Amino acid sequence: MKIRAFLSLFIVTLIFCANASTSFAHTVKSQGYSILNIKGKTIDYELFLDQIDMLEQFDTNKDKYLENEELSLQKERIEAVLQKDLRIEVDSKPLTMEMLSMEVAEKASHIGVMFKLRLTADEAIEQFNLHYNLMFEDSPLHTNVLLVHSGEFFYQNILDTKNKDVQITIAQPESKSVLWKYFVLGIEHILIGYDHLLFLLSLVLIASRFKDALKIVTAFTIAHSITLFLVATDRIQVSSHWVEALIPLTICYVAVENMFVQNAKWRWQLTTLFGLIHGMGFAGALAETGLPKSNLIGSLLTFNLGVEAGQLMVLSLLLPFLLWLRKFPWYRKMMISTSCLIFVLAFYWLIQRLQ
């Protein structure tokens, strides 16, 4: 029985660590963003490409960094690449692309190049085809997050080597449909948010009663909801780079504390402080998607409810199992071992994000 329980806890640890490692691999491999804002017959296109994807072709001095001066000297060459591999068609007619600006920028803790493009059709755009073939030749693992806004219309997709062509029909949805999309987006964010999930695991490892775990989770919820609202509505400004670095630091601290603290009586206070930091991280993720100005509060609220729903889904599966394992005398040793693994993984993320 002891061996079986040991293996069960070990498997849980592996699942969390494997999920985290896999997800982190997705963050360090190249990822771009395509944000399209459509007004009438005009498409304003914000295209972000990770510099990792562009070094092979455009790093002329081979110092593994792109600079604005370096880009401006190759403007015509870069424009030719965009014209060749990025195309939007309306009624099978390619729209003319105008590059308004191009500069080195930071987005979601990635350094890259931000392009501001404008495409104009002959009449109001109701449907269009997007062909995206940028960077795949040099970076076959490259992905691009596609977000399209037009009034209340909101569309999202992932562009990759298997999904280069998408057709989008603009239809103004009902308010309830928009809110539901942001609710689902909140659930998706927490379920793939490996760092937030690992933080929750490290928090509740020490809880010996359901009551203690509930206080911890409630404190985390209230705290991150506060900063999520403040940052998402521009009440406060934060650096996404430093927020992303602070998140693994909070995991490291809790993991170390687990090795020395015997009970969770005051853990909720620590959770409140660190929850404020994680809320900024949630806000950063939401900023990449964008919020409809006409229903800002409603969309923000449903996104946050989605985060909570996803969080409760995970904890409802995890907590009963952890509380059952607490019955065994060796649980303390296993908790310390698990916390050591969590610390190593979080410290690795910290180093990566500080670079």
Side-chain angles (χ1 to χ4, degrees):
M1 186 65 177
K2 180 177 179 179
I3 295 176
R4 186 180 300 172
F6 174 88
L7 289 174
S8 297
L9 185 57
F10 183 67
I11 289 171
V12 169
T13 303
L14 283 180
I15 290 173
F16 270 87
C17 292
N19 178 57
S21 299
T22 302
S23 299
F24 184 71
H26 284 287
T27 65
V28 295
K29 78 179 184 182
S30 65
Q31 179 170 290
Y33 292 89
S34 289
I35 302 177
L36 281 65
N37 289 289
I38 303 172
K39 294 181 180 179
K41 59 181 183 179
T42 302
I43 299 177
D44 287 326
Y45 192 147
E46 287 190 3
L47 170 67
F48 177 84
L49 296 176
D50 196 313
Q51 71 169 351
I52 294 174
D53 295 325
M54 303 184 66
L55 292 177
E56 183 69 25
Q57 295 187 59
F58 305 110
D59 182 24
T60 54
N61 58 13
K62 302 303 177 184
D63 64 352
K64 296 186 178 181
Y65 291 97
L66 292 177
E67 299 173 351
N68 286 323
E69 183 178 356
E70 194 172 21
L71 293 172
S72 62
L73 292 174
Q74 303 177 81
K75 182 179 179 181
E76 291 185 1
R77 184 178 167 212
I78 294 173
E79 282 185 319
V81 171
L82 294 178
Q83 295 283 354
K84 173 178 173 289
D85 294 329
L86 180 63
R87 187 171 65 254
I88 292 180
E89 297 177 349
V90 174
D91 295 329
S92 300
K93 178 183 177 181
L95 301 185
T96 301
M97 181 188 301
E98 176 188 3
M99 187 164 72
L100 304 179
S101 64
M102 169 183 61
E103 62 179 356
V104 176
E106 178 183 334
K107 191 175 184 68
S109 298
H110 292 259
I111 301 297
V113 180
M114 177 68 77
F115 300 92
K116 292 191 176 181
L117 313 171
R118 177 164 290 167
L119 301 99
T120 305
D122 295 330
E123 55 187 26
I125 300 171
E126 297 179 353
Q127 185 182 76
F128 65 92
N129 296 318
L130 172 65
H131 172 74
Y132 182 96
N133 196 36
L134 291 169
M135 305 298 130
F136 291 138
E137 185 176 343
D138 294 326
S139 304
L141 296 180
H142 168 73
T143 60
N144 192 286
V145 178
L146 172 64
L147 305 166
V148 181
H149 296 273
S150 179
E152 289 293 324
F153 176 78
F154 170 63
Y155 173 87
Q156 62 176 333
N157 206 333
I158 300 293
L159 303 169
D160 56 28
T161 53
K162 297 181 180 179
N163 188 34
K164 300 179 182 180
D165 296 277
V166 294
Q167 184 181 77
I168 301 168
T169 300
I170 300 172
Q172 298 302 328
E174 295 181 1
S175 179
K176 291 182 179 179
S177 177
V178 175
L179 296 179
W180 174 252
K181 283 189 174 183
Y182 277 93
F183 178 75
V184 173
L185 192 66
I187 294 177
E188 291 175 351
H189 180 69
I190 195 67
L191 293 182
I192 64 173
Y194 56 93
D195 43 4
H196 301 296
L197 288 178
L198 204 65
F199 178 67
L200 285 173
L201 172 62
S202 60
L203 284 173
V204 299
L205 272 176
I206 200 175
S208 58
R209 299 177 301 170
F210 181 79
K211 179 181 177 181
D212 294 331
L214 183 61
K215 287 175 65 176
I216 291 171
V217 173
T218 301
F220 181 67
T221 297
I222 294 173
H224 79 64
S225 296
I226 292 171
T227 46
L228 170 60
F229 175 82
L230 292 175
V231 176
T233 56
D234 290 326
R235 296 309 199 270
I236 59 174
Q237 304 288 330
V238 295
S239 167
S240 61
H241 175 76
W242 286 109
V243 169
E244 290 300 313
L246 284 172
I247 287 173
L249 187 62
T250 65
I251 301 172
C252 287
Y253 182 90
V254 175
V256 170
E257 189 179 75
N258 283 344
M259 303 175 198
F260 301 98
V261 175
Q262 294 286 339
N263 62 73
K265 184 178 180 181
W266 305 109
R267 173 60 60 86
W268 68 272
Q269 295 179 335
L270 179 69
T271 304
T272 301
L273 175 62
F274 288 168
L276 296 173
I277 297 172
H278 284 252
M280 297 176 191
F282 290 138
L286 186 56
E288 304 303 336
T289 302
L291 284 165
K293 294 181 180 179
S294 59
N295 198 357
L296 176 64
I297 301 300
S299 301
L300 181 58
L301 178 61
T302 51
F303 175 83
N304 194 46
L305 289 174
V307 169
E308 302 316 319
Q311 182 177 286
L312 289 173
M313 287 166 58
V314 173
L315 290 174
S316 64
L317 295 174
L318 180 64
L319 271 177
F321 184 59
L322 290 178
L323 293 175
W324 174 73
L325 289 177
R326 269 199 163 271
K327 299 177 181 179
F328 299 96
W330 45 264
Y331 179 83
R332 175 68 186 172
K333 293 181 180 179
M334 281 304 303
M335 187 191 72
I336 293 175
S337 299
T338 303
S339 296
C340 287
L341 289 174
I342 291 173
F343 175 84
V344 171
L345 188 57
F347 189 74
Y348 173 70
W349 294 335
L350 174 62
I351 299 301
Q352 287 288 329
R353 296 180 184 186
L354 286 176
Q355 291 179 350

